[in-house]
């Protein structure tokens, strides 16, 4: 969407042999030189990191992931391992983690799906099966129910219009449908909301939200706040925010992960690693604009040690 800037680019003077030797040295002997590992991995693209992983195995007959697992720990280890997965593999591991065990973290499912293209959703379904030998759609529908289940299933169809065209007539029509499905009636017709939010392109949705406000005098987010509740409400709000401005949506997610007592380190890793080659630079701009604090300062005050140093390095 629009002009999005990453923070990590392919490293121009990439020398895979030099990198694997430096990583080998950092892990040898007493203690680990974490800074050396950060300096390399935070400055290589995902494709280059995969080359490093492959070359390491070929040269030393050791799995780099296993070596690092034995040397590192905690959130720092998790973040480094996330960086050594291809991005779509990391994403499907996060999807599975959101559904494993008791309770489902629908926020994570929506966060990953609402920002994915149709092609990425198709890749996630394939990769999910490949990595977990399970069916993503079956897992999602088995772990959720009611309107939330239907909404997530729609998102998983990967049928969103991906053009950049705006049909003003349709925006009016959808706005009226949303109004009639929500504020204008007793009880809310969720299927109309879900269908429109899951199938229209983002520019089209922006036009629809404008038209909605003109018709109802209410911002669509306020309407959702008043008309729906619980998990479904959270899902709708995420989708609307992502449609309005995906990078601001991620900035909000990062802020929420650091607010209050305790830090949601998994969300920090998922967004900072996951968006680093897509739009993290733009997310940083949005974060500063919204919260008046640079993202790296927020991370520095919430996180510590090597984990902090790694995230700050990825933010460049």
């Amino acid at each position: 969407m629009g002009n999005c800037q990453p923070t990590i680019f392919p490293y121009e003077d990439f020398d895979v042999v030099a990198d694997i030797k430096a990583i080998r040295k950092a892990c040898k002997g007493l203690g680990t030189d974490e800074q050396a590992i950060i300096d390399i991995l935070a400055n290589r693209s995902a494709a280059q990191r995969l080359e490093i992983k492959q070359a390491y195995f070929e040269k030393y007959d050791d799995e780099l992931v296993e070596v690092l697992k034995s040397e590192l720990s905690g959130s720092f280890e998790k973040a480094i391992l996330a960086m050594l997965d291809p991005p779509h593999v990391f994403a499907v591991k996060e999807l599975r983690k959101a559904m494993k065990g008791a309770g489902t973290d629908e926020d994570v499912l929506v966060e990953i799906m609402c920002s994915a293209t149709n092609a990425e959703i198709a890749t996630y379904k394939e990769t999910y099966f490949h990595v977990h030998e399970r069916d993503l759609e079956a897992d999602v529908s088995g772990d959720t129910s009611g309107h939330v289940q239907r909404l997530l299933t729609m998102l998983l169809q990967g049928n969103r219009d991906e053009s950049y065209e705006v049909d003003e007539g349709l925006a009016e029509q959808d706005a009226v449908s949303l109004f009639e499905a929500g504020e204008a009636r007793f009880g809310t017709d969720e299927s109309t909301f879900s269908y429109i939010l899951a199938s229209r392109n983002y520019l089209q949705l922006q036009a629809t939200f404008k038209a909605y406000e003109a018709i109802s005098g209410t911002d669509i987010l306020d309407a959702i706040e008043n008309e729906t509740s619980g998990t479904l409400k959270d899902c709708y709000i995420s989708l609307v925010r992502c449609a309005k401005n995906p990078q601001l949506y991620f900035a909000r997610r990062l802020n929420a992960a650091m607010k209050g007592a305790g830090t949601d380190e998994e969300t920090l890793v998922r967004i900072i690693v996951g968006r680093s080659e897509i739009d993290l630079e733009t997310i940083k701009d949005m974060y500063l604009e919204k919260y008046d604090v640079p993202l790296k300062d927020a991370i520095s005050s919430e996180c510590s040690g090597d984990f902090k140093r790694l995230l700050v390095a990825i933010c460049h």
Side-chain angles (χ1 to χ4, degrees):
M1 295 274 306
N3 185 19
C4 296
Q5 293 298 317
T7 58
I8 292 185
F9 298 89
Y11 187 59
E12 289 200 354
D13 304 320
F14 182 49
D15 177 346
V16 72
V17 176
D19 283 353
I20 61 174
K21 284 182 174 165
I23 291 173
R24 183 79 168 171
K25 189 174 158 213
C27 297
K28 273 270 176 266
L30 277 175
T32 308
D33 181 355
E34 286 90 355
Q35 193 58 51
I37 296 171
I38 292 171
D39 290 343
I40 294 171
L41 296 182
N43 291 293
R44 304 292 182 271
S45 67
Q48 289 172 333
R49 297 193 295 263
L50 290 179
E51 276 187 60
I52 289 171
K53 199 161 104 173
Q54 186 61 33
Y56 193 95
F57 180 72
E58 284 165 10
K59 184 161 173 65
Y60 302 115
D61 200 26
D62 252 345
E63 289 286 359
L64 180 56
V65 165
E66 296 306 321
V67 172
L68 292 171
K69 267 186 184 167
S70 67
E71 295 288 332
L72 313 175
S73 62
S75 295
F76 178 56
E77 176 194 334
K78 284 188 187 132
I80 289 285
L81 297 183
M83 295 177 82
L84 291 171
D85 270 332
H88 57 283
V89 172
F90 174 52
V92 303
K93 287 182 178 175
E94 291 293 299
L95 288 170
R96 179 81 192 110
K97 200 160 68 186
M99 294 183 280
K100 250 176 125 162
T104 303
D105 192 341
E106 287 90 355
D107 275 357
V108 174
L109 301 182
V110 172
E111 177 201 295
I112 294 172
M113 287 193 252
C114 74
S115 55
T117 62
N118 294 341
E120 284 166 341
I121 286 178
T123 303
Y124 292 161
K125 289 197 270 199
E126 250 173 68
T127 309
Y128 191 90
F129 184 74
H130 187 72
V131 172
H132 302 298
E133 293 186 343
R134 302 173 66 92
D135 183 282
L136 178 56
E137 285 184 69
D139 275 355
V140 167
S141 68
D143 264 351
T144 55
S145 60
H147 295 297
V148 173
Q149 179 195 61
R150 285 196 279 282
L151 173 63
L152 293 172
T153 303
M154 276 186 207
L155 290 173
L156 273 179
Q157 298 313 304
N159 284 335
R160 187 182 296 283
D161 166 28
E162 289 185 331
S163 73
Y164 291 96
E165 282 151 32
V166 175
D167 176 338
E168 294 295 345
L170 180 64
E172 291 278 324
Q173 206 180 309
D174 279 351
V176 169
S177 301
L178 288 173
F179 183 63
E180 287 173 349
E183 293 178 68
R185 56 175 280 177
F186 182 72
T188 304
D189 171 14
E190 285 87 355
S191 57
T192 303
F193 265 82
S194 295
Y195 175 74
I196 292 171
L197 289 175
S199 61
R200 305 289 188 240
N201 77 55
Y202 280 171
L203 294 175
Q204 181 69 34
L205 284 173
Q206 289 166 25
T208 304
F209 302 153
K210 272 205 186 78
Y212 184 91
E213 199 166 347
I215 292 167
S216 68
T218 316
D219 182 85
I220 186 79
L221 285 170
D222 295 332
I224 289 169
E225 198 63 63
N226 299 329
E227 294 300 319
T228 57
S229 60
T231 306
L232 185 67
K233 178 181 86 175
D234 297 340
C235 292
Y236 282 161
I237 287 175
S238 294
L239 282 167
V240 169
R241 287 196 167 138
C242 198
K244 284 185 171 189
N245 182 332
Q247 290 71 40
L248 178 57
Y249 161 71
F250 284 116
R252 285 175 178 275
R253 290 280 293 162
L254 288 169
N255 181 260
M258 294 186 277
K259 256 189 8 209
T263 304
D264 175 359
E265 290 168 345
E266 290 188 349
T267 293
L268 294 183
V269 171
R270 198 172 48 251
I271 296 175
I272 289 171
V273 172
R275 307 304 298 183
S276 58
E277 284 182 72
I278 304 167
D279 55 6
L280 186 57
E281 190 60 47
T282 314
I283 292 170
K284 277 164 53 183
D285 295 342
M286 291 295 156
Y287 196 95
L288 180 60
E289 206 176 292
K290 173 99 181 125
Y291 300 107
D292 252 1
V293 176
L295 177 58
K296 64 176 200 308
D297 293 1
I299 292 167
S300 295
S301 66
E302 281 300 320
C303 307
S304 60
D306 295 314
F307 181 58
K308 171 184 85 178
R309 282 191 281 279
L310 174 64
L311 295 187
V312 169
I314 296 171
C315 287
H316 287 276

